[in-house]
Amino acid sequence: MQEKHLYEYAVIRVLPRVEREEFLNVGIILFCKKAKFIQVHFTIAADKIGMISAETDIEQLQLNLESFQKIAAGDKAGGPIAQFDIPSRFRWLTAIRSSVIQTSRPHPGLSEDLEKTGLRLFADLVL
């Protein structure tokens, strides 16, 4: 039997009009300290976002979500935050914000395969 890893995940949400507090789930961040694992999956459903706010800059939203991936991956193009250790990157990505991109509170779980768990959560919570 494989070892089960304690992980945390948060759902990435887009609030096209922050003042209305309406959001769409667009991605997930999965983190496991012991396995030194962090991963971001996202997709942008421009048609759904447009139903809430036609003024949303989809290209900018794409760039911002790509920066989440770069930070999670430790990519130098992600800026100085991407150089933090993995737990600090997760905490920064899931910090409370009042911007168009926000995350849920982190939730825990156990997984034998973090890659598969991330894809399952993405499918269940976003797609």
Side-chain angles (χ1 to χ4, degrees), residues 3-122:
E3 177 184 2
K4 288 197 177 193
H5 297 282
L6 176 64
Y7 68 86
E8 294 178 71
Y9 76 92
V11 179
I12 304 170
R13 301 170 172 164
V14 170
L15 290 82
R17 294 184 57 193
V18 177
E19 69 278 6
R20 289 176 50 174
E21 298 185 5
E22 297 172 330
F23 65 85
L24 294 168
N25 292 344
V26 298
I28 61 115
I29 306 165
L30 186 80
F31 160 67
C32 176
K33 182 177 180 177
K34 186 175 180 183
K36 297 182 181 176
F37 180 92
I38 185 170
Q39 191 171 68
V40 170
H41 296 284
F42 76 88
T43 188
I44 297 174
D47 56 331
K48 290 180 182 178
I49 293 170
M51 290 185 340
I52 297 174
S53 174
E55 295 84 35
T56 302
D57 185 340
I58 299 298
E59 288 179 35
Q60 185 62 54
L61 183 61
Q62 176 79 28
L63 291 172
N64 292 349
L65 289 168
E66 286 172 1
S67 73
F68 268 49
Q69 281 184 321
K70 290 175 185 173
I71 289 167
D75 184 334
K76 290 184 191 275
I81 295 162
Q83 303 312 301
F84 291 176
D85 65 2
I86 291 172
S88 297
R89 282 184 261 155
F90 180 72
R91 297 293 169 232
W92 188 88
L93 289 168
T94 58
I96 295 173
R97 296 175 173 80
S98 59
S99 62
V100 172
I101 299 175
Q102 298 181 15
T103 61
S104 69
R105 292 179 321 187
H107 306 281
L110 290 172
S111 172
E112 292 179 355
D113 186 328
L114 295 167
E115 292 275 346
K116 285 183 182 175
T117 298
L119 292 172
R120 180 186 54 78
L121 288 169
F122 182 66

